[in-house]
Amino acid sequence: MTKDKSFSSKNNLLYLVATPIGNLNEVSERFISVIKEMDIIAAEDTRNTGSLLSKLGISKDFFSLREHNENQASEHLINLIKEGKKVAYMSDAGYPGISDPGYLLVQNALKAGIRVSTISGPSAFINALVASGLPTNHFYFHGFLPAKEGEAKKELEELKEKKETIIFYEAPHRIIKTLNLLLNVLGNRKAVIARELTKINEEYIRGDLSELVELDETTLKGEMVVLIEGNKEIKDISDKKILSLVGYYKKQGLSNKDSIEVVAKELQIPKNRIKKLVL
Ligand code: SAM
C-alpha cells in the first residue's frame, strides 16, 4: 500500500493536465498558474500544445511524449523530475490517458516513486454523457472501436448484455458505418451523437439507432462521441435466484441443458447468463 499526498510538496510530483476539447475559454486559472510554474512541458504534440500556450501568453520548453515513444519518453520525464525539475504532461485534448497517451507514463512514474496529480478540465465523454439524456448513474466508456469490421463486431458482441450507458469515440468518416454496426449487433436502441462539443457548432442528435443510420454523413463533421442506451431487456434477477431455480429443475430430474432452457424461458433471460453461472 502507498499513500501519496498531492499537496505535501511540489517536488517529485507529475501533473497530468487536461486541456480544452475545443473552447479555449475552458482553460482555468489553476491551469495557467500551474503551467507557469513548470520548467518543462511534456506534450503529445509539442506544436499543438505550444500554440495553445502561446495563445495564453506562456512560453515553455517542450519535449514529445506520444503513443509510439511513451515508455522511452516517460523515462526521460522521470529523470527530469528526479533532478528536481517541475514537469507537466498534456495530451492534445481533454485528459491524458483517456484514448490518449498517459497510462504508461503514470505506471512508470508511480514505479519510480513519483507522485501523480491532475489539473482538472473537460473530457469529451463526460460532457457528452451528462447532456445526453441517457442514464448517467452507471456507464461504460469503450473509446474507439477497432477499424477492422470483424474486430469491431467481436468487441460489440461482448457489450451486448451491458446494462450501463455505453460510450464510444468515433471519427466522422466512419460514423455511419459504425452506427450500422451498432444497430446490427446491439439491436435498435436509443442513441446520441454529441459532436463538436464546446465549439460553435456543438450539436446533440438524439434518436433511435434505426433513425441515426439514415443521417447524411456530410452533415456529421468534426469530432464526435456516440452514446448508446444499455440493454434494457436484462432483468434485475439475482444470480442466487437463477441458481436456485436451476437446482430445483435438476432435482426434478432435468439435465443441466434442459434446466437452463426452462429457466431461461421462465425468467425471460438469456441462456448465456445462466450457462455462465451454472458451468
Ligand atoms: N483525451 C480526450 C478526452 O479526454 O476526451 C480524447 C482524445 S481522443 C484521441 C479524440 C476523440 O475524442 C475524438 O475522435 C472524439 O471522438 C472525441 N472528442 C474530442 N474532442 C471532442 C469534441 N470537442 N466534441 C466531440 N468529441 C470530441
Side-chain angles (χ1 to χ4, degrees):
M1 180 168 75
T2 56
K3 285 183 171 189
D4 290 335
K5 289 218 179 261
S6 299
F7 286 80
S8 59
S9 129
K10 288 186 176 172
N11 293 327
N12 222 30
L13 176 67
L14 163 66
Y15 284 112
L16 297 172
V17 182
T19 50
I21 55 169
N23 192 325
L24 288 194
N25 290 333
E26 293 197 336
V27 167
S28 67
E29 276 179 33
R30 185 169 182 227
F31 174 108
I32 292 173
S33 76
V34 167
I35 292 300
K36 279 185 174 164
E37 277 176 25
M38 295 296 115
D39 297 305
I40 301 174
I41 305 293
E44 183 185 9
D45 183 329
T46 52
R47 274 208 317 203
N48 219 15
T49 303
S51 122
L52 167 69
L53 297 193
S54 90
K55 280 178 196 145
L56 301 169
I58 303 172
S59 158
K60 289 283 162 187
D61 286 339
F62 291 101
F63 72 93
S64 152
L65 190 152
R66 330 171 61 96
E67 200 180 337
H68 75 267
N69 75 352
E70 192 169 350
N71 248 327
Q72 219 181 344
S74 54
E75 241 174 74
H76 177 56
L77 186 155
I78 287 162
N79 288 335
L80 289 170
I81 293 182
K82 293 270 177 208
E83 285 164 18
K85 295 268 192 300
K86 296 198 173 69
V87 189
Y89 179 62
M90 297 154 88
S91 61
D92 270 359
Y95 276 87
I98 302 296
S99 295
D100 264 346
Y103 170 69
L104 278 179
L105 168 63
V106 172
Q107 288 276 306
N108 292 338
L110 293 176
K111 264 188 226 146
I114 290 170
R115 291 166 300 132
V116 182
S117 182
T118 49
I119 305 299
S120 322
S123 190
F125 84 88
I126 297 282
N127 283 40
L129 173 68
V130 295
S132 66
L134 296 176
T136 53
N137 54 346
H138 298 292
F139 61 88
Y140 165 80
F141 173 72
H142 195 80
F144 290 101
L145 283 165
K148 289 192 180 144
E149 190 171 328
E151 287 172 27
K153 203 168 167 195
K154 212 163 141 200
E155 284 190 11
L156 284 178
E157 291 285 351
E158 283 169 22
L159 306 182
K160 249 176 157 171
E161 290 182 14
K162 280 205 174 300
K163 289 195 275 182
E164 303 88 353
T165 300
I166 308 174
I167 309 170
F168 300 98
Y169 281 165
E170 194 44 284
H173 65 278
R174 295 198 323 196
I175 183 65
I176 294 296
K177 198 171 157 209
T178 298
L179 290 171
N180 273 299
L181 197 62
L182 290 167
L183 177 62
N184 289 340
V185 180
L186 303 180
N188 198 18
R189 299 188 189 186
K190 279 191 199 162
V192 179
I193 299 173
R195 131 185 133 79
E196 296 282 77
L197 295 168
T198 75
K199 303 182 204 174
I200 192 80
N201 290 321
E202 177 173 302
E203 180 178 42
Y204 286 88
I205 307 173
R206 301 177 176 88
D208 288 342
L209 274 171
S210 62
E211 293 173 303
L212 297 188
V213 293
E214 298 298 331
L215 288 166
D216 173 0
E217 196 165 66
T218 60
T219 64
L220 300 174
K221 299 226 159 53
E223 299 189 284
M224 58 191 72
V225 183
V226 180
L227 306 99
I228 311 289
E229 181 182 41
N231 189 338
K232 290 279 161 287
E233 281 164 23
I234 295 177
K235 304 230 173 83
D236 241 355
I237 297 167
S238 71
D239 292 351
K240 200 171 153 198
K241 175 161 183 191
I242 296 170
L243 284 171
S244 97
L245 208 55
V246 172
Y248 168 80
Y249 283 116
K250 279 169 71 175
K251 267 196 198 145
Q252 303 295 309
L254 262 62
S255 66
N256 243 347
K257 189 169 169 262
D258 288 345
S259 311
I260 290 170
E261 204 134 315
V262 173
V263 173
K265 267 202 191 127
E266 187 171 326
L267 298 178
Q268 296 212 317
I269 56 174
K271 267 193 270 181
N272 259 351
R273 179 172 172 206
I274 312 173
K275 262 189 210 158
K276 268 186 212 155
L277 287 172
V278 174
L279 308 174

